Amino acid sequence: MKKRKFLLFTIFMLTLSMVLAACGGGNANEEADSGDGGEGTTEDKPKFMSILTGGTGGTYFPLGGAFANIVSDATGIDTNAETTGASAENMQSIKDKKGEIAFTQTDIASYATEGKLMFDGNPIDNIQAIGTLYPETIQIVTTEKSGIKSVEDLKGKRVSIGAPGSGTAANAEQILEVHGLTLDDIKKQDLSFDESVNGIKDGNIDAAFVTAGTPTAAVEELSATETVVIVPVEADKADELIEKYPYYTKDEVPSGAYKLGSAVPTVAVQAMLVVESGLSEQVVYDITKSIFENLDKVQHAKAKQINPENALNGVGIDVHPGAQKYFDEKGIKPAQ
């Protein structure tokens, strides 16, 4: 009988302890999740994030790797840089929830949100901006032995316009347009920057459009074995292009890059970072702050051109509230 009473008492105590634990568990979780610095709840904070970049021969990938390390260290979120087909592909991947942060060109981000050009009938409604980074220079790359000296000389030639899903193809089409050419006037190839360089080296193509920050690793590699020529976009054609497509700006490939003897005039769009709009305000604030306040940790030469004071210039799409919070704290506004 005593054993039975003891057993019943034990069962009662175990049941009571479980009830008390369940009642108190909500408060414990709330305390763990709330934080005192506005860090956001654990439900708001993903365990893993991907930064969608571009090909290994461009600028996005090395910068993305550096940014991933910075974000991981600052936020505690395991962040990784992934190689992709770049801008347009990245926008679709964000829509498909295959990444959280992405590099893109400003023009491509605008096309995506507006459902234009390559996004016709397929607008992307879940991307918002962190901010712009640096000029994406349109470099029309060839070699001295090709004999190509002008955009018009590309007619009938084998020309790479970038990887499928990249923004470079739109740039190529628009630049050809203001020079009186279409994609039908060239023997179009859809190659990544690395593939383009190898194609030029092997004699399989004659020239390639490369939209990337200068110096671009793939073009530097080409200059080690060939005399690189950058085909100019002259001022009058640049003006015509900018009038029709205002997200372009005048730019140049500087003297000394790729062993060039003098600067070459061309045009550029802006590189920018975007995020999946469903990320919490606090997470995006932390991402934005960590990147713009740790640029000294980025070894790539392009980091010197990234300035938070310019990050809202030419964005062209909505800024994520978390990024906006950071810029507001710093008193940063778009240029008038």
Side-chain angles (χ1 to χ4, degrees):
M1 187 70 175
K2 289 182 178 179
K3 288 184 178 179
R4 178 169 180 154
K5 286 182 178 179
F6 178 78
L7 180 61
L8 289 172
F9 177 77
T10 302
I11 292 171
F12 172 77
M13 292 302 294
L14 286 171
T15 303
L16 180 61
S17 66
M18 290 173 65
V19 171
L20 290 173
C23 291
N27 292 333
N29 287 338
E30 284 175 14
E31 289 172 6
D33 288 346
S34 62
D36 59 3
E39 294 289 336
T41 67
T42 54
E43 287 82 1
D44 291 336
K45 190 173 180 178
K47 293 181 179 178
F48 178 84
M49 294 190 298
S50 291
I51 300 180
L52 308 176
T53 64
T56 56
T59 306
Y60 290 171
F61 182 69
L63 278 180
F67 289 172
N69 290 334
I70 289 169
V71 171
S72 294
D73 290 344
T75 67
I77 302 170
D78 186 12
T79 307
N80 186 49
E82 295 186 14
T83 60
T84 71
S87 295
E89 180 183 311
N90 290 351
M91 298 302 90
Q92 186 62 46
S93 293
I94 291 285
K95 180 176 183 178
D96 296 339
K97 304 293 183 71
K98 294 180 179 177
E100 291 74 30
I101 310 169
F103 284 80
T104 185
Q105 297 170 201
T106 48
D107 54 333
I108 301 304
S110 293
Y111 298 151
T113 57
E114 295 168 7
K116 293 181 178 179
L117 294 183
M118 69 283 285
F119 300 100
D120 186 22
N122 180 37
I124 311 296
D125 60 4
N126 66 328
I127 61 168
Q128 292 178 308
I130 286 181
T132 57
L133 301 173
Y134 58 85
E136 290 259 61
T137 307
I138 289 87
Q139 304 164 78
I140 307 172
V141 182
T142 187
T143 60
E144 189 176 56
K145 64 186 179 185
S146 75
I148 297 170
K149 297 179 180 179
S150 68
V151 175
E152 289 84 356
D153 289 342
L154 296 175
K155 186 173 183 178
K157 298 295 195 298
R158 300 163 297 176
V159 182
S160 170
I161 63 167
S166 72
T168 306
N171 302 143
E173 188 169 9
Q174 291 159 358
I175 288 171
L176 290 172
E177 177 191 343
V178 299
H179 288 83
L181 301 174
T182 71
L183 293 178
D184 292 334
D185 291 316
I186 63 173
K187 296 175 182 176
K188 179 175 73 71
Q189 304 289 315
D190 303 296
L191 305 175
S192 71
F193 297 160
D194 286 329
E195 291 168 337
S196 295
V197 165
N198 289 332
I200 292 173
K201 281 182 181 177
D202 297 340
N204 295 324
I205 64 171
D206 302 300
F209 282 80
V210 174
T211 302
T214 56
T216 305
V219 186
E220 284 190 310
E221 180 185 339
L222 180 64
S223 71
T225 57
E226 301 283 349
T227 302
V228 166
V229 171
I230 303 296
V231 179
V233 178
E234 301 292 357
D236 60 332
K237 294 300 182 182
D239 290 337
E240 186 178 340
L241 185 71
I242 292 165
E243 182 176 356
K244 187 165 187 179
Y245 304 105
Y247 37 75
Y248 285 99
T249 59
K250 288 183 179 179
D251 198 8
E252 66 177 25
V253 180
S255 173
Y258 319 129
K259 303 177 184 176
L260 296 174
S262 59
V264 179
T266 185
V267 290
V269 290
Q270 289 281 322
M272 71 186 301
L273 277 180
V274 300
V275 292
E276 204 281 313
S277 57
L279 287 176
S280 74
E281 180 177 316
Q282 186 63 44
V283 166
V284 178
Y285 171 86
D286 291 339
I287 292 168
T288 307
K289 181 176 182 178
S290 66
I291 289 173
F292 284 112
E293 295 191 359
N294 288 281
L295 292 169
D296 59 321
K297 297 179 181 178
V298 182
Q299 298 300 312
H300 195 282
K302 271 297 162 188
K304 296 178 181 178
Q305 295 188 25
I306 302 173
N307 185 341
E309 296 292 331
N310 301 323
L312 294 178
N313 296 342
V315 167
I317 65 171
D318 291 340
V319 177
H320 192 285
Q324 189 64 57
K325 177 182 176 183
Y326 172 75
F327 296 126
D328 288 345
E329 284 183 0
K330 297 295 182 181
I332 296 169
K333 299 181 182 299
Q336 299 299 316

